[in-house]
Amino acid sequence: AQSVTQLGSHVSVSEGALVLLRCNYSSSVPPYLFWYVQYPNQGLQLLLKYTSAATLVKGINGFEAEFKKSETSFHLTKPSAHMSDAAEYFCAVSPSTGGFKTIFGAGTRLFVKA
Amino acid sequence: GAGVSQSPRYKVAKRGQDVALRCDPISGHVSLFWYQQALGQGPEFLTYFQNEAQLDKSGLPSDRFFAERPEGSVSTLKIQRTQKEDSAVYLCASSPAGGPVNEQFFGPGTRLTVL
């Protein structure tokens, strides 16, 4: 069975600092991996996804993530945080070989300090 | 263009009542997902439709939960004899193609409160 763990329910960074949100997955075969963001009072929207092409994936708003099979990780980074990045971020995993069930992590709330 | 819409946005039910939650996906989208999101948690998969076929209902928590998509577009999630533990936000998402590899477009959710 697949699972996903997000380390840290809350992360606080200063504006301009590096953003690092951690995600580890468990799967018998490399799955599809996603990062979604939820801004206050809005629905979830896709930031980026990994589907077995390049291991370094670039997304919207300057975010990127690297798939590391040896570490079963898919951490999300952004070199310089903006106030507008404050939101809830969810890592998700979907099966790459049969099945339709997308599993979401518990989420990490990002706070950006001025 | 219109995104995924859900109605009602808020629903308060007395324990034991039946409720029906509606999802209007983006026109032409093949895939439709339902999720349950408890407070402070990530979305939890309930069920998946590809067109009108319900291909995965493994996440439905009990036989009180039932979902349908009879014409391959609008979907309804029905909860019978609601219980307090059913209180959550119910999210609907659609995707243009079949399978779980594609981006899912989420609706705003229906917040269900069971008293």
Side-chain angles (χ1 to χ4, degrees), chain A residues 41-68:
Chain A
N41 300 314
Q42 294 187 28
L44 280 83
Q45 57 183 278
L46 183 71
L47 271 179
L48 49 80
K49 66 177 182 179
Y50 166 77
T51 56
S52 76
T55 56
L56 182 62
V57 181
K58 294 187 183 298
I60 61 172
N61 300 337
F63 284 94
E64 62 181 38
E66 186 172 7
F67 171 69
K68 292 187 176 180

PDB file of all heavy atoms in Angstrom, chain A residues 41-68:
ATOM      1  N   ASN A  41      -9.142  30.093   1.793  1.00  0.00           N
ATOM      2  CA  ASN A  41     -10.458  30.215   1.163  1.00  0.00           C
ATOM      3  C   ASN A  41     -10.457  29.898  -0.329  1.00  0.00           C
ATOM      4  O   ASN A  41     -11.313  30.394  -1.084  1.00  0.00           O
ATOM      5  CB  ASN A  41     -11.040  31.621   1.386  1.00  0.00           C
ATOM      6  CG  ASN A  41     -11.205  31.941   2.853  1.00  0.00           C
ATOM      7  OD1 ASN A  41     -11.708  31.111   3.615  1.00  0.00           O
ATOM      8  ND2 ASN A  41     -10.756  33.101   3.255  1.00  0.00           N
ATOM      9  N   GLN A  42      -9.502  29.079  -0.753  1.00  0.00           N
ATOM     10  CA  GLN A  42      -9.467  28.658  -2.148  1.00  0.00           C
ATOM     11  C   GLN A  42      -9.329  27.139  -2.219  1.00  0.00           C
ATOM     12  O   GLN A  42      -8.962  26.484  -1.242  1.00  0.00           O
ATOM     13  CB  GLN A  42      -8.293  29.301  -2.892  1.00  0.00           C
ATOM     14  CG  GLN A  42      -8.407  30.806  -3.035  1.00  0.00           C
ATOM     15  CD  GLN A  42      -7.316  31.377  -3.923  1.00  0.00           C
ATOM     16  OE1 GLN A  42      -6.801  30.704  -4.828  1.00  0.00           O
ATOM     17  NE2 GLN A  42      -6.945  32.616  -3.665  1.00  0.00           N
ATOM     18  N   GLY A  43      -9.625  26.588  -3.389  1.00  0.00           N
ATOM     19  CA  GLY A  43      -9.467  25.148  -3.594  1.00  0.00           C
ATOM     20  C   GLY A  43      -8.015  24.780  -3.819  1.00  0.00           C
ATOM     21  O   GLY A  43      -7.163  25.634  -4.067  1.00  0.00           O
ATOM     22  N   LEU A  44      -7.715  23.491  -3.748  1.00  0.00           N
ATOM     23  CA  LEU A  44      -6.361  23.014  -4.014  1.00  0.00           C
ATOM     24  C   LEU A  44      -6.011  23.234  -5.478  1.00  0.00           C
ATOM     25  O   LEU A  44      -6.846  23.046  -6.359  1.00  0.00           O
ATOM     26  CB  LEU A  44      -6.240  21.525  -3.705  1.00  0.00           C
ATOM     27  CG  LEU A  44      -6.071  21.109  -2.257  1.00  0.00           C
ATOM     28  CD1 LEU A  44      -7.419  21.052  -1.563  1.00  0.00           C
ATOM     29  CD2 LEU A  44      -5.397  19.748  -2.170  1.00  0.00           C
ATOM     30  N   GLN A  45      -4.753  23.609  -5.723  1.00  0.00           N
ATOM     31  CA  GLN A  45      -4.287  23.730  -7.098  1.00  0.00           C
ATOM     32  C   GLN A  45      -2.905  23.110  -7.229  1.00  0.00           C
ATOM     33  O   GLN A  45      -2.110  23.133  -6.292  1.00  0.00           O
ATOM     34  CB  GLN A  45      -4.291  25.190  -7.570  1.00  0.00           C
ATOM     35  CG  GLN A  45      -3.487  26.143  -6.742  1.00  0.00           C
ATOM     36  CD  GLN A  45      -3.613  27.569  -7.248  1.00  0.00           C
ATOM     37  OE1 GLN A  45      -2.935  27.967  -8.177  1.00  0.00           O
ATOM     38  NE2 GLN A  45      -4.501  28.327  -6.655  1.00  0.00           N
ATOM     39  N   LEU A  46      -2.641  22.567  -8.403  1.00  0.00           N
ATOM     40  CA  LEU A  46      -1.397  21.854  -8.623  1.00  0.00           C
ATOM     41  C   LEU A  46      -0.216  22.816  -8.710  1.00  0.00           C
ATOM     42  O   LEU A  46      -0.260  23.819  -9.430  1.00  0.00           O
ATOM     43  CB  LEU A  46      -1.487  21.049  -9.926  1.00  0.00           C
ATOM     44  CG  LEU A  46      -0.267  20.186 -10.247  1.00  0.00           C
ATOM     45  CD1 LEU A  46      -0.183  19.000  -9.282  1.00  0.00           C
ATOM     46  CD2 LEU A  46      -0.324  19.685 -11.692  1.00  0.00           C
ATOM     47  N   LEU A  47       0.860  22.483  -7.976  1.00  0.00           N
ATOM     48  CA  LEU A  47       2.125  23.208  -8.096  1.00  0.00           C
ATOM     49  C   LEU A  47       3.033  22.546  -9.118  1.00  0.00           C
ATOM     50  O   LEU A  47       3.619  23.198  -9.974  1.00  0.00           O
ATOM     51  CB  LEU A  47       2.854  23.227  -6.753  1.00  0.00           C
ATOM     52  CG  LEU A  47       2.591  24.350  -5.767  1.00  0.00           C
ATOM     53  CD1 LEU A  47       3.425  24.107  -4.518  1.00  0.00           C
ATOM     54  CD2 LEU A  47       2.903  25.702  -6.371  1.00  0.00           C
ATOM     55  N   LEU A  48       3.181  21.231  -8.977  1.00  0.00           N
ATOM     56  CA  LEU A  48       4.040  20.472  -9.885  1.00  0.00           C
ATOM     57  C   LEU A  48       3.771  18.987  -9.718  1.00  0.00           C
ATOM     58  O   LEU A  48       3.125  18.582  -8.739  1.00  0.00           O
ATOM     59  CB  LEU A  48       5.520  20.779  -9.620  1.00  0.00           C
ATOM     60  CG  LEU A  48       6.015  20.729  -8.171  1.00  0.00           C
ATOM     61  CD1 LEU A  48       6.279  19.306  -7.726  1.00  0.00           C
ATOM     62  CD2 LEU A  48       7.285  21.562  -8.016  1.00  0.00           C
ATOM     63  N   LYS A  49       4.297  18.193 -10.691  1.00  0.00           N
ATOM     64  CA  LYS A  49       4.115  16.747 -10.604  1.00  0.00           C
ATOM     65  C   LYS A  49       5.311  16.019 -11.193  1.00  0.00           C
ATOM     66  O   LYS A  49       5.997  16.537 -12.091  1.00  0.00           O
ATOM     67  CB  LYS A  49       2.841  16.304 -11.307  1.00  0.00           C
ATOM     68  CG  LYS A  49       2.842  16.508 -12.817  1.00  0.00           C
ATOM     69  CD  LYS A  49       1.539  15.971 -13.436  1.00  0.00           C
ATOM     70  CE  LYS A  49       1.550  16.125 -14.953  1.00  0.00           C
ATOM     71  NZ  LYS A  49       0.310  15.592 -15.572  1.00  0.00           N
ATOM     72  N   TYR A  50       5.565  14.827 -10.680  1.00  0.00           N
ATOM     73  CA  TYR A  50       6.584  13.929 -11.200  1.00  0.00           C
ATOM     74  C   TYR A  50       5.888  12.702 -11.752  1.00  0.00           C
ATOM     75  O   TYR A  50       5.105  12.041 -11.064  1.00  0.00           O
ATOM     76  CB  TYR A  50       7.549  13.508 -10.091  1.00  0.00           C
ATOM     77  CG  TYR A  50       8.408  12.345 -10.492  1.00  0.00           C
ATOM     78  CD1 TYR A  50       9.503  12.528 -11.336  1.00  0.00           C
ATOM     79  CD2 TYR A  50       8.108  11.054 -10.066  1.00  0.00           C
ATOM     80  CE1 TYR A  50      10.271  11.438 -11.738  1.00  0.00           C
ATOM     81  CE2 TYR A  50       8.873   9.974 -10.464  1.00  0.00           C
ATOM     82  CZ  TYR A  50       9.948  10.172 -11.304  1.00  0.00           C
ATOM     83  OH  TYR A  50      10.704   9.106 -11.709  1.00  0.00           O
ATOM     84  N   THR A  51       6.204  12.400 -13.043  1.00  0.00           N
ATOM     85  CA  THR A  51       5.562  11.240 -13.676  1.00  0.00           C
ATOM     86  C   THR A  51       6.591  10.390 -14.401  1.00  0.00           C
ATOM     87  O   THR A  51       6.326   9.874 -15.488  1.00  0.00           O
ATOM     88  CB  THR A  51       4.466  11.676 -14.653  1.00  0.00           C
ATOM     89  OG1 THR A  51       5.040  12.571 -15.625  1.00  0.00           O
ATOM     90  CG2 THR A  51       3.353  12.387 -13.924  1.00  0.00           C
ATOM     91  N   SER A  52       7.771  10.227 -13.831  1.00  0.00           N
ATOM     92  CA  SER A  52       8.840   9.343 -14.292  1.00  0.00           C
ATOM     93  C   SER A  52       9.652   9.918 -15.445  1.00  0.00           C
ATOM     94  O   SER A  52      10.342   9.172 -16.120  1.00  0.00           O
ATOM     95  CB  SER A  52       8.301   7.962 -14.671  1.00  0.00           C
ATOM     96  OG  SER A  52       7.651   7.996 -15.923  1.00  0.00           O
ATOM     97  N   ALA A  53       9.585  11.194 -15.678  1.00  0.00           N
ATOM     98  CA  ALA A  53      10.470  11.819 -16.666  1.00  0.00           C
ATOM     99  C   ALA A  53      11.663  12.393 -15.885  1.00  0.00           C
ATOM    100  O   ALA A  53      12.323  11.679 -15.162  1.00  0.00           O
ATOM    101  CB  ALA A  53       9.721  12.879 -17.455  1.00  0.00           C
ATOM    102  N   ALA A  54      11.938  13.673 -16.028  1.00  0.00           N
ATOM    103  CA  ALA A  54      13.054  14.287 -15.320  1.00  0.00           C
ATOM    104  C   ALA A  54      12.836  14.224 -13.816  1.00  0.00           C
ATOM    105  O   ALA A  54      11.722  14.424 -13.332  1.00  0.00           O
ATOM    106  CB  ALA A  54      13.218  15.738 -15.751  1.00  0.00           C
ATOM    107  N   THR A  55      13.905  13.948 -13.071  1.00  0.00           N
ATOM    108  CA  THR A  55      13.752  13.834 -11.616  1.00  0.00           C
ATOM    109  C   THR A  55      13.645  15.190 -10.932  1.00  0.00           C
ATOM    110  O   THR A  55      13.117  15.281  -9.828  1.00  0.00           O
ATOM    111  CB  THR A  55      14.920  13.059 -11.012  1.00  0.00           C
ATOM    112  OG1 THR A  55      16.140  13.716 -11.382  1.00  0.00           O
ATOM    113  CG2 THR A  55      14.949  11.631 -11.522  1.00  0.00           C
ATOM    114  N   LEU A  56      14.134  16.242 -11.577  1.00  0.00           N
ATOM    115  CA  LEU A  56      13.972  17.593 -11.047  1.00  0.00           C
ATOM    116  C   LEU A  56      12.813  18.240 -11.793  1.00  0.00           C
ATOM    117  O   LEU A  56      12.869  18.430 -12.998  1.00  0.00           O
ATOM    118  CB  LEU A  56      15.252  18.408 -11.228  1.00  0.00           C
ATOM    119  CG  LEU A  56      15.214  19.830 -10.664  1.00  0.00           C
ATOM    120  CD1 LEU A  56      15.000  19.807  -9.156  1.00  0.00           C
ATOM    121  CD2 LEU A  56      16.495  20.579 -11.018  1.00  0.00           C
ATOM    122  N   VAL A  57      11.793  18.558 -11.052  1.00  0.00           N
ATOM    123  CA  VAL A  57      10.566  19.065 -11.653  1.00  0.00           C
ATOM    124  C   VAL A  57      10.376  20.521 -11.255  1.00  0.00           C
ATOM    125  O   VAL A  57      10.473  20.860 -10.080  1.00  0.00           O
ATOM    126  CB  VAL A  57       9.353  18.248 -11.163  1.00  0.00           C
ATOM    127  CG1 VAL A  57       8.077  18.764 -11.802  1.00  0.00           C
ATOM    128  CG2 VAL A  57       9.547  16.770 -11.463  1.00  0.00           C
ATOM    129  N   LYS A  58      10.116  21.346 -12.236  1.00  0.00           N
ATOM    130  CA  LYS A  58       9.852  22.767 -11.971  1.00  0.00           C
ATOM    131  C   LYS A  58       8.354  23.020 -12.061  1.00  0.00           C
ATOM    132  O   LYS A  58       7.670  22.486 -12.951  1.00  0.00           O
ATOM    133  CB  LYS A  58      10.606  23.637 -12.967  1.00  0.00           C
ATOM    134  CG  LYS A  58      12.125  23.540 -12.804  1.00  0.00           C
ATOM    135  CD  LYS A  58      12.851  24.536 -13.677  1.00  0.00           C
ATOM    136  CE  LYS A  58      14.366  24.377 -13.559  1.00  0.00           C
ATOM    137  NZ  LYS A  58      14.842  24.624 -12.174  1.00  0.00           N
ATOM    138  N   GLY A  59       7.873  23.839 -11.124  1.00  0.00           N
ATOM    139  CA  GLY A  59       6.451  24.127 -11.100  1.00  0.00           C
ATOM    140  C   GLY A  59       6.169  25.609 -11.208  1.00  0.00           C
ATOM    141  O   GLY A  59       7.023  26.386 -11.617  1.00  0.00           O
ATOM    142  N   ILE A  60       4.986  25.973 -10.792  1.00  0.00           N
ATOM    143  CA  ILE A  60       4.592  27.374 -10.869  1.00  0.00           C
ATOM    144  C   ILE A  60       5.163  28.159  -9.697  1.00  0.00           C
ATOM    145  O   ILE A  60       5.561  27.582  -8.684  1.00  0.00           O
ATOM    146  CB  ILE A  60       3.062  27.521 -10.914  1.00  0.00           C
ATOM    147  CG1 ILE A  60       2.423  26.953  -9.644  1.00  0.00           C
ATOM    148  CG2 ILE A  60       2.498  26.844 -12.151  1.00  0.00           C
ATOM    149  CD1 ILE A  60       0.942  27.232  -9.523  1.00  0.00           C
ATOM    150  N   ASN A  61       5.221  29.473  -9.863  1.00  0.00           N
ATOM    151  CA  ASN A  61       5.606  30.391  -8.785  1.00  0.00           C
ATOM    152  C   ASN A  61       7.016  30.132  -8.240  1.00  0.00           C
ATOM    153  O   ASN A  61       7.288  30.444  -7.086  1.00  0.00           O
ATOM    154  CB  ASN A  61       4.594  30.338  -7.627  1.00  0.00           C
ATOM    155  CG  ASN A  61       3.194  30.714  -8.065  1.00  0.00           C
ATOM    156  OD1 ASN A  61       3.015  31.411  -9.070  1.00  0.00           O
ATOM    157  ND2 ASN A  61       2.199  30.243  -7.355  1.00  0.00           N
ATOM    158  N   GLY A  62       7.894  29.578  -9.065  1.00  0.00           N
ATOM    159  CA  GLY A  62       9.283  29.407  -8.667  1.00  0.00           C
ATOM    160  C   GLY A  62       9.581  28.186  -7.822  1.00  0.00           C
ATOM    161  O   GLY A  62      10.707  28.002  -7.357  1.00  0.00           O
ATOM    162  N   PHE A  63       8.596  27.334  -7.603  1.00  0.00           N
ATOM    163  CA  PHE A  63       8.802  26.111  -6.827  1.00  0.00           C
ATOM    164  C   PHE A  63       9.387  25.002  -7.696  1.00  0.00           C
ATOM    165  O   PHE A  63       9.148  24.932  -8.903  1.00  0.00           O
ATOM    166  CB  PHE A  63       7.477  25.633  -6.221  1.00  0.00           C
ATOM    167  CG  PHE A  63       7.027  26.429  -5.041  1.00  0.00           C
ATOM    168  CD1 PHE A  63       6.154  27.499  -5.202  1.00  0.00           C
ATOM    169  CD2 PHE A  63       7.472  26.105  -3.767  1.00  0.00           C
ATOM    170  CE1 PHE A  63       5.745  28.250  -4.113  1.00  0.00           C
ATOM    171  CE2 PHE A  63       7.054  26.843  -2.670  1.00  0.00           C
ATOM    172  CZ  PHE A  63       6.201  27.910  -2.838  1.00  0.00           C
ATOM    173  N   GLU A  64      10.156  24.134  -7.061  1.00  0.00           N
ATOM    174  CA  GLU A  64      10.636  22.937  -7.731  1.00  0.00           C
ATOM    175  C   GLU A  64      10.761  21.810  -6.713  1.00  0.00           C
ATOM    176  O   GLU A  64      10.754  22.041  -5.501  1.00  0.00           O
ATOM    177  CB  GLU A  64      11.974  23.170  -8.435  1.00  0.00           C
ATOM    178  CG  GLU A  64      13.126  23.542  -7.553  1.00  0.00           C
ATOM    179  CD  GLU A  64      14.401  23.765  -8.371  1.00  0.00           C
ATOM    180  OE1 GLU A  64      14.314  24.318  -9.491  1.00  0.00           O
ATOM    181  OE2 GLU A  64      15.475  23.388  -7.880  1.00  0.00           O
ATOM    182  N   ALA A  65      10.814  20.589  -7.228  1.00  0.00           N
ATOM    183  CA  ALA A  65      10.952  19.422  -6.360  1.00  0.00           C
ATOM    184  C   ALA A  65      11.823  18.397  -7.059  1.00  0.00           C
ATOM    185  O   ALA A  65      11.830  18.302  -8.286  1.00  0.00           O
ATOM    186  CB  ALA A  65       9.582  18.828  -6.040  1.00  0.00           C
ATOM    187  N   GLU A  66      12.541  17.622  -6.267  1.00  0.00           N
ATOM    188  CA  GLU A  66      13.420  16.605  -6.817  1.00  0.00           C
ATOM    189  C   GLU A  66      12.999  15.231  -6.329  1.00  0.00           C
ATOM    190  O   GLU A  66      12.873  15.002  -5.117  1.00  0.00           O
ATOM    191  CB  GLU A  66      14.869  16.859  -6.435  1.00  0.00           C
ATOM    192  CG  GLU A  66      15.842  15.899  -7.113  1.00  0.00           C
ATOM    193  CD  GLU A  66      17.293  16.255  -6.888  1.00  0.00           C
ATOM    194  OE1 GLU A  66      17.560  17.170  -6.089  1.00  0.00           O
ATOM    195  OE2 GLU A  66      18.166  15.617  -7.506  1.00  0.00           O
ATOM    196  N   PHE A  67      12.787  14.325  -7.267  1.00  0.00           N
ATOM    197  CA  PHE A  67      12.461  12.944  -6.943  1.00  0.00           C
ATOM    198  C   PHE A  67      13.761  12.197  -6.663  1.00  0.00           C
ATOM    199  O   PHE A  67      14.650  12.147  -7.515  1.00  0.00           O
ATOM    200  CB  PHE A  67      11.717  12.289  -8.105  1.00  0.00           C
ATOM    201  CG  PHE A  67      11.527  10.802  -7.957  1.00  0.00           C
ATOM    202  CD1 PHE A  67      10.665  10.308  -6.992  1.00  0.00           C
ATOM    203  CD2 PHE A  67      12.200   9.909  -8.775  1.00  0.00           C
ATOM    204  CE1 PHE A  67      10.469   8.935  -6.856  1.00  0.00           C
ATOM    205  CE2 PHE A  67      12.022   8.535  -8.640  1.00  0.00           C
ATOM    206  CZ  PHE A  67      11.155   8.056  -7.674  1.00  0.00           C
ATOM    207  N   LYS A  68      13.873  11.636  -5.450  1.00  0.00           N
ATOM    208  CA  LYS A  68      15.043  10.846  -5.080  1.00  0.00           C
ATOM    209  C   LYS A  68      14.569   9.457  -4.691  1.00  0.00           C
ATOM    210  O   LYS A  68      14.086   9.243  -3.568  1.00  0.00           O
ATOM    211  CB  LYS A  68      15.809  11.512  -3.935  1.00  0.00           C
ATOM    212  CG  LYS A  68      16.482  12.818  -4.325  1.00  0.00           C
ATOM    213  CD  LYS A  68      17.366  13.344  -3.207  1.00  0.00           C
ATOM    214  CE  LYS A  68      18.113  14.602  -3.635  1.00  0.00           C
ATOM    215  NZ  LYS A  68      18.989  15.130  -2.569  1.00  0.00           N
TER     216      LYS A  68
END
